[in-house]
Amino acid sequence: MNNVQLDIDERSNLTSLNKLELLLFRLGGDAEGQHSELYAINVFKIREIVAMPHVTPIADSHPHMLGVVNLREQIIPVINLPAVVGCIPTAGLKLLLITEFARTTQAFAVEAVEEIVRLEWTSVLPADKTASGALVTSIAKVDGDVPNTRLAQVLDVESILRQLHSNDEPDVDVDTIGAPLNLPEGQVILAADDSVIARALIENALQAMGAKYVMTNSGKQAWDKLEAIDIEAKKEGKTARDKVALVLSDLEMPEMDGFTLTRNIKQDSRFSTIPVIIHSSLSGAANENHVNGVGADAYIAKFVPVELAALLRKTLAKNTPQKRG
């Protein structure tokens, strides 16, 4: 565990070209103790790993919530990750993965940690190309494109949190999200996110703002869509910029991540004038610096609809070509 912790400390600020680092762990098997599969989470979301401390149960909490821990004077909720996924630990819950993402801090209890692997995003398959459930965003080929490679299920931790903290309040309040986005005629917002929950939230927000949009499930899908739009635009004597008002992209996505998508857009003369906003659960100064380094126009942490709406308006106003008199 100590070696894994050192890896996280040393590597959490690294960003490679279309690469990611995954922490691999196990949650246990089925009711017969069989099929202990590999699961994964992006290293960027991990703050630290600690041995299981005393957990204080909380009255009337969700069945998958173990309680809370006091870690260096911070009260952190603890989620029974095997129970969420449907696994039964054979060796007990030994470790806590302390995570920070989507403006929250929480701990996931796991059975065992394996290792950290660095992969090309091309070795990560979107969940919609597999039989994966809603809690899995993608399947990682741990050993790359080799026969009998190990497979790890990359968990959609944002969806897990949403399941545990669901309430009756609407995701988007149309009374507070503000004035509609007045996109120029024929233009759309192109959005990319691999999380089912995140896509639904983004679509709800854009619909509340009256914006036309195209939703994609990965950076590669968004890039392919941009190229298709460019082909159609040329047939009409127009440019891709005439068709796409803005690109709204997640960072963590299979096949092509948001860093690479943004870099491709900004380095291609067909698309370089299209503004790009990074909308990610990965927060912190290091990630914001990386975002600026690939040329994104703005960055915002998930998911506050009012803030997203304000940034969309600001970015669109700043990048709308002025009409000549």
Side-chain angles (χ1 to χ4, degrees):
M1 184 183 72
N2 290 335
N3 289 337
V4 171
Q5 184 65 56
L6 286 173
D7 284 339
I8 290 174
D9 293 339
E10 291 172 359
R11 298 177 178 180
S12 60
N13 290 328
L14 297 178
T15 300
S16 300
L17 180 60
N18 204 35
K19 291 184 178 181
L20 79 160
E21 290 181 320
L22 294 176
L23 175 69
L24 306 181
F25 54 90
R26 296 190 188 272
L27 301 176
D30 56 21
E32 285 72 41
Q34 302 298 315
H35 309 296
S36 181
E37 307 296 345
L38 274 177
Y39 293 89
I41 185 174
N42 195 318
V43 167
F44 278 110
K45 288 187 168 81
I46 305 290
R47 190 180 82 185
E48 59 183 314
I49 301 171
V50 298
M52 180 65 72
H54 172 72
V55 179
T56 301
I58 299 297
D60 197 31
S61 59
H62 192 284
H64 297 332
M65 295 294 298
L66 291 176
V68 296
V69 294
N70 184 3
L71 191 62
R72 286 184 290 281
E73 303 307 315
Q74 183 180 11
I75 303 301
I76 300 174
V78 179
I79 298 165
N80 185 339
L81 195 53
V84 173
V85 175
C87 295
I88 301 174
T90 57
L93 297 174
K94 301 293 187 180
L95 302 170
L96 289 184
L97 309 182
I98 311 300
T99 63
E100 291 182 336
F101 60 91
R103 311 181 190 222
T104 63
T105 301
Q106 51 281 309
F108 291 101
V110 303
E111 182 179 59
V113 164
E114 296 273 311
E115 61 180 311
I116 287 176
V117 293
R118 182 178 295 185
L119 302 174
E120 299 280 349
W121 271 111
T122 51
S123 293
V124 183
L125 302 177
D128 60 2
K129 293 184 179 179
T130 71
S132 305
L135 296 183
V136 176
T137 61
S138 50
I139 303 294
K141 295 184 285 187
V142 175
D143 307 306
D145 292 318
V146 299
N148 300 316
T149 181
R150 292 173 294 164
L151 299 178
Q153 301 175 59
V154 183
L155 293 177
D156 188 345
V157 287
E158 295 169 52
S159 292
I160 291 173
L161 284 189
R162 183 169 176 78
Q163 283 190 7
L164 299 181
H165 301 294
S166 60
N167 54 54
D168 296 329
E169 296 181 4
D171 296 323
V172 178
D173 186 346
V174 295
D175 294 327
T176 62
I177 202 166
L181 285 180
N182 294 316
L183 299 181
E185 183 68 27
Q187 284 195 345
V188 299
I189 289 176
L190 178 62
D193 203 298
D194 66 328
S195 167
V196 173
I197 289 297
R199 289 198 299 272
L201 293 173
I202 291 168
E203 289 188 18
N204 288 343
L206 293 177
Q207 288 169 6
M209 288 181 274
K212 293 183 179 179
Y213 62 88
V214 174
M215 180 62 69
T216 60
N217 298 354
S218 71
K220 185 177 185 304
Q221 284 190 15
W223 178 252
D224 291 344
K225 185 63 179 178
L226 266 179
E227 294 202 303
I229 288 173
D230 179 63
I231 292 172
E232 290 301 315
K234 287 177 178 176
K235 293 178 181 178
E236 300 173 17
K238 298 180 179 180
T239 67
R241 182 67 176 93
D242 296 323
K243 298 283 191 177
V244 180
L246 180 145
V247 173
L248 180 67
S249 176
D250 187 22
L251 284 181
E252 301 175 276
M253 293 182 290
E255 299 183 295
M256 180 188 291
D257 67 4
F259 291 116
T260 304
L261 173 63
T262 303
R263 186 183 295 110
N264 286 352
I265 290 172
K266 293 302 182 179
Q267 292 180 355
D268 193 310
S269 59
R270 298 173 297 170
F271 311 124
S272 59
T273 59
I274 298 174
V276 178
I277 293 178
I278 297 296
H279 183 227
S280 174
S281 61
L282 298 178
S283 57
N287 283 303
E288 292 193 43
N289 288 337
H290 294 320
V291 166
N292 293 333
V294 296
D297 295 81
Y299 169 92
I300 187 168
K302 293 178 180 175
F303 178 77
V304 179
V306 172
E307 293 182 8
L308 175 60
L311 183 59
L312 286 170
R313 292 189 192 94
K314 178 180 177 180
T315 305
L316 288 169
K318 181 178 178 181
N319 289 275
T320 298
Q322 299 297 315
K323 294 182 179 180
R324 297 179 180 178

